[in-house]
Amino acid sequence: KAAYEAHCDEVGRRVPVVLDSCCGTGRSTRMLADARPDKFVIGIDRSLARLERNKRFRDGPGKGETKGGAGSSNLVLLRGTCVDLWRSV
């Protein structure tokens, strides 16, 4: 939620959300975020091993990046189950 709020503050408005369920390493999430900068993309996977293959997820954000992000301010990668996320939307 904090990453979404930070992104909305940055762009000055609420934006639609795209869910990338079972995102694995987050590569597809990054591609979606790059292709749709007008959306906030959430990548979720239950495997920490897969997510940790993403350097930015593993090491934390760099300058100008969101916690859990893979380089863009319009995305976040989360470890969890898809069902839990789907229920909360």
Side-chain angles (χ1 to χ4, degrees), residues 16-84:
V17 173
V18 174
L19 300 178
D20 185 13
S21 303
C22 306
C23 70
T25 63
R27 183 174 180 214
S28 57
T29 309
R30 177 56 186 251
M31 291 170 51
L32 285 166
D34 287 347
R36 299 305 303 260
D38 58 325
K39 310 283 190 249
F40 187 75
V41 184
I42 301 171
I44 186 167
D45 200 283
R46 72 183 211 176
S47 171
L48 184 58
R50 282 190 291 260
L51 288 168
E52 284 188 333
R53 291 182 197 158
N54 183 304
K55 182 182 183 317
R56 290 190 178 105
F57 179 85
R58 183 183 65 240
D59 298 341
K63 185 177 179 182
E65 295 176 355
T66 305
K67 172 80 174 120
S72 298
S73 65
N74 69 322
L75 76 88
V76 67
L77 296 174
L78 305 172
R79 180 174 181 238
T81 63
C82 296
V83 174
D84 292 336

